[in-house]
Amino acid sequence: MDRRMHLVGKVALVTGGASGMGCGFAEALLKAAAKVCIADINVETGVATESDLRQQYGHENVMFSKCNITSATEFEAVFKRTKEAFGGIDIVVNNAGIGGETDENWEQTVDVNMKGTLRGLRLAMYYLSVEHGGRGGCIVNVASMTGLNPNPLSPVYGCTKAGIIHATRCYVVSEAAKKSNIRLNVLCPAFVDTPMFRRLAAGDATQTIGGDQTAVTAFIERIGVLSTEEVSVALIDILTDETRNGLILRCAKKTGNVYSTLTVQDV
Ligand SMILES: NC(=O)C1=CN([C@@H]2O[C@H](COP(=O)(O)OP(=O)(O)OC[C@H]3O[C@@H](n4cnc5c(N)ncnc54)[C@H](O)[C@@H]3O)[C@@H](O)[C@H]2O)C=CC1
Ligand SMILES: CC/C=C\CC(=O)/C=C/C=C\C=C\C=C\[C@@H](O)[C@@H](O)C/C=C\CCC(=O)O
């Protein structure tokens, strides 16, 4: 039996889709002939990305919607607009996230990465569920390798990513997911060459504790850096292979893509 989910005509909502990894995901989805709404807090970059992608993949296949994922009103409005514009939603990629470990910004890291992603997860479950007019589909939450293993340089960020992994784990075993045939998986990349990574590599001390750039540089060199295209290949594999459900996909330059289960054996 063919277990490939064909992306042709499928509708995807990608948060943080204006730049970095989210922009790469949007482009990979469009190449596979899906329709994409990029939702992002950054209007200037969002409009520019929308214009660029429309030129390449057709005006009717791409839309940008301004959205701060920490705002319940704005986030729900994006789901409504996407459904109205494209006739439904099949794929949600909860990708938007930030780094920040200082006294001034650590709580914002929690608000965006943890509360914002939880909000996106709850909305995705609602809009994909059959009982609320959805048609099932696939949710991919973007966490990080630092959500799995301890990383002494960014503990707050790492905690939020661990939270995203656990939230996904809980929804995977939910009745709501089973009833509506909703697949949920988590993507855990190591370093990826994006604006966020470049700020870190250039010495932005607000993203790590300790302010030891030598340690950051050594860490990056040890782990290696993926391109957004490489991570997008991983996303498309999760989306198209319908057997992929309840999984963590770790992506790193040196080890490649490694799947493992989200749940462990029950007691
Ligand atoms: N770059 C890396 O090395 C890695 C990044 N990640 C995660 O991947 C995701 C994407 O990161 P990058 O592309 O590297 O970051 P980025 O900073 O290059 O892009 C993130 C995008 O999200 C948007 N955004 C930020 N806050 C938002 C909010 N409150 N509401 C809506 N949009 C918002 C930004 O405007 C930006 O367009 C994040 O969740 C990040 O934590 C995970 C592992 C490695
Ligand atoms: C502010 C966040 C910046 C980038 C986003 C991000 O999520 C990047 C993650 C990249 C890689 C994570 C790798 C985690 C590795 C762990 O298994 C441990 O090996 C980390 C242990 C020590 C790190 C310091 C060192 O190597 O000396």
Side-chain angles (χ1 to χ4, degrees):
M1 190 173 39
D2 185 9
R3 302 292 291 164
R4 309 301 298 176
M5 174 184 180
H6 297 288
L7 296 177
V8 181
K10 291 280 191 277
V11 177
L13 197 167
V14 181
T15 68
S19 68
M21 234 185 279
C23 181
F25 293 154
E27 177 146 29
L29 282 156
L30 288 162
K31 274 191 184 141
K35 294 177 185 297
V36 180
C37 173
I38 52 178
D40 204 290
I41 194 172
N42 188 328
V43 176
E44 199 183 334
T45 315
V47 169
T49 300
E50 178 193 57
S51 163
D52 179 38
L53 293 175
R54 278 183 166 171
Q55 273 183 20
Q56 294 184 68
Y57 301 100
H59 189 278
E60 66 289 3
N61 296 320
V62 192
M63 65 186 267
F64 164 68
S65 204
K66 195 257 166 189
C67 168
N68 180 347
I69 65 165
T70 67
S71 158
T73 323
E74 284 189 20
F75 212 168
E76 169 122 47
V78 168
F79 276 81
K80 281 198 181 128
R81 250 179 257 137
T82 307
K83 190 175 172 181
E84 275 161 25
F86 293 142
I89 303 175
D90 305 288
I91 294 159
V92 177
V93 185
N94 283 307
N95 161 76
I98 59 170
E101 302 285 333
T102 67
D103 287 349
E104 291 74 33
N105 68 17
W106 75 267
E107 289 182 78
Q108 181 69 3
T109 304
V110 177
D111 286 344
V112 174
N113 297 5
M114 191 70 272
K115 286 174 72 178
T117 306
L118 277 175
R119 183 170 287 117
L121 190 42
R122 290 164 61 88
L123 284 164
M125 287 300 296
Y126 183 92
Y127 276 83
L128 265 52
S129 77
V130 174
E131 64 181 309
H132 297 116
R135 49 198 186 205
C138 190
I139 300 170
V140 179
N141 295 322
V142 179
S144 163
M145 200 71 92
T146 65
L148 290 164
N149 286 333
N151 164 6
L153 303 172
S154 47
V156 172
Y157 176 85
C159 272
T160 64
K161 296 303 185 177
I164 292 169
I165 294 166
H166 194 64
T168 316
R169 184 178 283 132
C170 294
Y171 277 105
V172 164
V173 295
S174 71
E175 272 311 301
K178 287 178 202 152
K179 270 203 300 206
S180 290
N181 206 14
I182 300 171
R183 293 188 288 123
L184 293 109
N185 296 286
V186 193
L187 199 54
C188 288
F191 291 113
V192 185
D193 187 16
T194 67
M196 180 203 258
F197 166 77
R198 281 174 223 147
R199 284 193 297 274
L200 180 80
D204 178 351
T206 69
Q207 290 195 54
T208 53
I209 55 167
D212 182 355
Q213 193 56 25
T214 311
V216 174
T217 305
F219 186 25
I220 293 170
E221 272 173 18
R222 181 168 73 77
I223 301 287
V225 186
L226 293 159
S227 66
T228 54
E229 288 80 10
E230 285 170 312
V231 183
S232 298
V233 169
L235 175 82
I236 297 297
D237 184 68
I238 290 177
L239 293 176
T240 52
D241 186 341
E242 291 190 35
T243 65
R244 308 274 192 220
N245 188 29
L247 300 175
I248 296 172
L249 175 50
R250 281 173 282 145
C251 314
K253 191 73 187 173
K254 292 185 184 162
T255 54
N257 297 344
V258 182
Y259 280 101
S260 50
T261 56
L262 262 167
T263 48
V264 294
Q265 194 171 1
D266 211 349
V267 286

